[in-house]
Amino acid sequence: MTITAAVLEELKAAVGSQYVSNAEEKLMVYSFDSTFQEHKPEVVVKPHTAKEVAAVVKIAAAHHVPLTARGAGTCLSGGPVALQGGILLEMTAFRRIVELNADEQYAVVEPGVITNTLIAEAAKQGLFYPPDPSSSGMSTLGGNVAECAGGGRGVKYGVTRDYVLALELVLADGEIVTVGNVVDGLTGWLDLPMLFTGSEGTLAIITKITVRLLPKPQAIKTALAQYDHLGDAAQTVSAIISAGIVPTTIEIMDQMTIAAVENFLQIGLDTTKEAFVLLEVDGELWEVEQQLEQIIAICRDNGAVKIEVAHTEAERTALWKARKSISGACGKINPTKIGEDIAVPPAAIPAMIQAVKEIARKYQLNMVVFGHAGDGNLHPNIMTDKRNAEEMERVEAAIGELFSNALALGGTLSGEHGIGFMKAPYVLQELGPAGYKAQKAVKDGLDPAGILNPGKIFIEQELE
Ligand SMILES: Cc1cc2nc3c(=O)[nH]c(=O)nc-3n(C[C@H](O)[C@H](O)[C@H](O)COP(=O)(O)OP(=O)(O)OC[C@H]3O[C@@H](n4cnc5c(N)ncnc54)[C@H](O)[C@@H]3O)c2cc1C
């Protein structure tokens, strides 16, 4: 235990006693994220200003108390779980959009703002914030920046790091700094915002975020292609990319995913199909019509047996419904859902999907595969029961093989969900000893006492 009665009193003095709680029920509520792992913090602290965050960090530093920031807790890699106890820093009180500058196309937001709130507020001014994780109705922008969240629009628009212009941060010694600027500058290291984007709460606490906005696209077209063979669907994805077309979205769903969604929603999906590919293009009206025609031709050439095009917003919502419901639907198959997010180069998608299917067969596991296939991001999800120790051993072995296959195909352990502690045992395999040591040196430089989110990403003792 690191929280003594004296530390508790200091925390109460820093943020107000009503925002500090070590009640058992509170600790339980904050003991998990969207994975199946649970670790209770020792105290939950809810600051409201950067100065309060700085005061809490200074207390943690002075007493060597672990400190884990948390947004909405939708993380899929264990990031906001207080693995080593200590302080859980609840960041949801930071929910103001500080500035939305339509002329200069940027927004300044606090980290607790829900992603969809910024998307909706920007749209009211004719602007567009592209990163759209499937959790965007729940996730916070602080969590998005900390995880460098991606989403369905990643093929064309990239991920969160492509939009972060500046960050206000509280460093591990409690100092408040701002990195980056709305104007391009040449003072010091150019891309400090990028260093902190994706750092998973291990380098600093984010207290303010400035993001780039784009003009809202004039038109969007959506289509759903259905396939009798999963391999044809996978081939379509790489054919579209290699044809030089840049759609906004290419999402893939395999047969087990389609069946899970149909079982959940009963909306008449054709569960005899081995795969669906959801496609979206945006831009000027003439351009989207032309692109959609080209894409439909590629789908047909690669074996699509049915293609539906949305002509109204209601039809577009209907085509998206299955994709948006996957998470809830999969949760009904088995009690424990383990969502992985490997990414491979788009040309390797057919081989990776094949590997996923073979691994599922080999380890006799319920495994669905879906994802933002256009940027190579696949989510093999294993539906299991964490109470079944024998099956969990097979799950562990299957996950190891998924990662080895992704790396062998030139891919990565994590396309967008981060490392947290669930993928930490595999980081060395991807980075190699020299790469690992270089990244760990940055962590040690910025957080020498290791108080920020300990136990995440860097766990290799023998290299230290
Ligand atoms: C149904 C579902 C669908 C999802 N779809 C996607 C998807 O399409 N794309 C995608 O990328 N992810 C997806 N995710 C994962 C998750 O939503 C993202 O990682 C999201 O960015 C997490 O945001 P959050 O606010 O929930 O953060 P949390 O889960 O609370 O925290 C995530 C990490 O950020 C750190 N953190 C949070 N706030 C701060 C802060 N202010 N300062 C420093 N560190 C901080 C935490 O310590 C933790 O390491 C999905 C999750 C679910 C449950």
Side-chain angles (χ1 to χ4, degrees):
M1 296 289 279
T2 54
I3 306 290
T4 60
V7 172
L8 208 55
E9 287 313 309
E10 284 186 43
L11 291 170
K12 287 179 180 171
V15 301
S17 54
Q18 68 274 41
Y19 298 118
V20 176
S21 176
N22 58 359
E24 187 59 19
E25 61 276 16
K26 186 92 170 181
L27 303 183
M28 280 177 75
V29 169
Y30 288 88
S31 67
F32 53 86
D33 61 356
S34 296
T35 61
F36 61 98
Q37 300 285 349
E38 286 173 44
H39 292 271
K40 273 190 293 189
E42 291 165 64
V43 62
V44 177
V45 178
K46 186 173 181 179
H48 288 68
T49 63
K51 278 191 180 153
E52 287 184 0
V53 172
V56 173
V57 173
K58 280 183 181 158
I59 295 166
H63 299 280
H64 299 286
V65 176
L67 187 145
T68 303
R70 181 184 171 99
T74 65
C75 186
L76 290 170
S77 55
V81 177
L83 201 58
Q84 297 181 11
I87 300 167
L88 192 291
L89 198 68
E90 226 268 56
M91 293 299 288
T92 53
F94 287 76
R95 50 174 176 240
R96 278 183 320 137
I97 294 184
V98 180
E99 183 185 358
L100 213 156
N101 192 319
D103 293 334
E104 297 189 27
Q105 301 188 345
Y106 68 81
V108 181
V109 299
E110 291 186 338
V113 172
I114 302 295
T115 316
N116 271 356
T117 305
L118 174 62
I119 292 174
E121 288 303 315
K124 283 182 196 164
Q125 311 251 11
L127 293 168
F128 178 42
Y129 179 66
D132 63 335
S134 307
S135 52
S136 59
M138 305 172 276
S139 67
T140 65
L141 286 153
N144 291 172
V145 173
E147 294 290 334
C148 188
R153 298 196 271 252
V155 195
K156 179 167 177 179
Y157 291 104
V159 296
T160 303
R161 82 163 73 85
D162 299 305
Y163 296 88
V164 177
L165 294 170
L167 295 171
E168 181 186 86
L169 304 160
V170 175
L171 299 175
D173 59 1
E175 288 295 314
I176 302 174
V177 297
T178 296
V179 296
N181 200 316
V182 286
V183 292
D184 285 337
L186 280 170
T187 315
W189 284 11
L190 282 180
D191 247 326
L192 277 182
M194 198 181 287
L195 171 67
F196 290 94
T197 302
S199 64
E200 302 187 27
T202 63
L203 299 183
I205 307 301
I206 302 159
T207 49
K208 209 183 285 171
I209 304 164
T210 305
V211 289
R212 184 195 317 281
L213 301 172
L214 302 181
K216 207 167 142 208
Q218 190 189 41
I220 300 176
K221 288 270 175 194
T222 309
L224 183 76
Q226 303 189 13
Y227 293 81
D228 284 333
H229 304 288
L230 178 59
D232 290 346
Q235 199 52 50
T236 300
V237 177
S238 39
I240 292 171
I241 301 293
S242 55
I245 302 169
V246 188
T248 318
T249 299
I250 312 181
E251 297 282 322
I252 198 165
M253 295 168 61
D254 76 345
Q255 189 169 28
M256 211 170 147
T257 312
I258 299 164
V261 174
E262 179 54 22
N263 184 39
F264 184 52
L265 295 177
Q266 289 164 8
I267 50 174
L269 301 178
D270 183 352
T271 54
T272 65
K273 295 287 175 286
E274 275 200 9
F276 287 177
V277 176
L278 182 69
L279 297 141
E280 201 151 84
V281 287
D282 69 8
E284 303 280 315
L285 193 56
W286 63 268
E287 167 186 40
V288 296
E289 280 175 352
Q290 202 179 59
Q291 277 200 347
L292 193 67
E293 258 176 47
Q294 285 174 293
I295 285 173
I296 288 175
I298 294 175
C299 292
R300 289 224 169 86
D301 290 348
N302 283 277
V305 289
K306 184 173 176 191
I307 299 171
E308 291 166 84
V309 176
H311 298 288
T312 61
E313 191 52 32
E315 286 175 5
R316 177 175 173 236
T317 307
L319 292 188
W320 269 98
K321 192 163 178 80
R323 174 62 185 91
K324 294 269 184 198
S325 310
I326 293 175
S327 206
C330 288
K332 287 197 87 181
I333 299 179
N334 270 341
T336 310
K337 172 175 158 303
I338 301 176
E340 289 306 343
D341 84 309
I342 47 174
V344 294
I349 289 266
M352 191 64 228
I353 288 184
Q354 180 68 20
V356 172
K357 292 288 160 191
E358 277 161 21
I359 292 166
R361 254 192 307 275
K362 177 173 169 189
Y363 292 101
Q364 297 172 305
L365 294 169
N366 274 331
M367 207 188 286
V368 303
V369 62
F370 60 91
H372 318 302
D375 52 1
N377 198 186
L378 290 175
H379 298 319
N381 272 231
I382 304 174
M383 257 49 71
T384 181
D385 184 344
K386 68 177 180 182
R387 295 163 300 185
N388 182 341
E390 182 276 325
E391 184 162 296
M392 288 308 282
E393 275 179 28
R394 280 184 280 127
V395 168
E396 279 303 314
I399 290 173
E401 268 187 47
L402 277 176
F403 293 156
S404 307
N405 274 274
L407 294 179
L409 288 166
T412 176
L413 298 177
S414 175
E416 57 180 21
H417 294 167
I419 299 298
F421 66 93
M422 299 198 55
K423 292 187 191 176
Y426 306 95
V427 169
L428 182 59
Q429 195 183 344
E430 177 167 341
L431 297 183
Y436 186 97
K437 277 186 188 164
Q439 292 211 15
K440 183 68 171 37
V442 175
K443 164 73 177 165
D444 292 343
L446 284 167
D447 179 20
I451 58 162
L452 296 179
N453 215 354
K456 312 294 165 65
I457 310 178
F458 305 104
I459 58 165
E460 303 296 336
Q461 304 297 332
E462 68 269 25
L463 289 176
E464 290 172 15

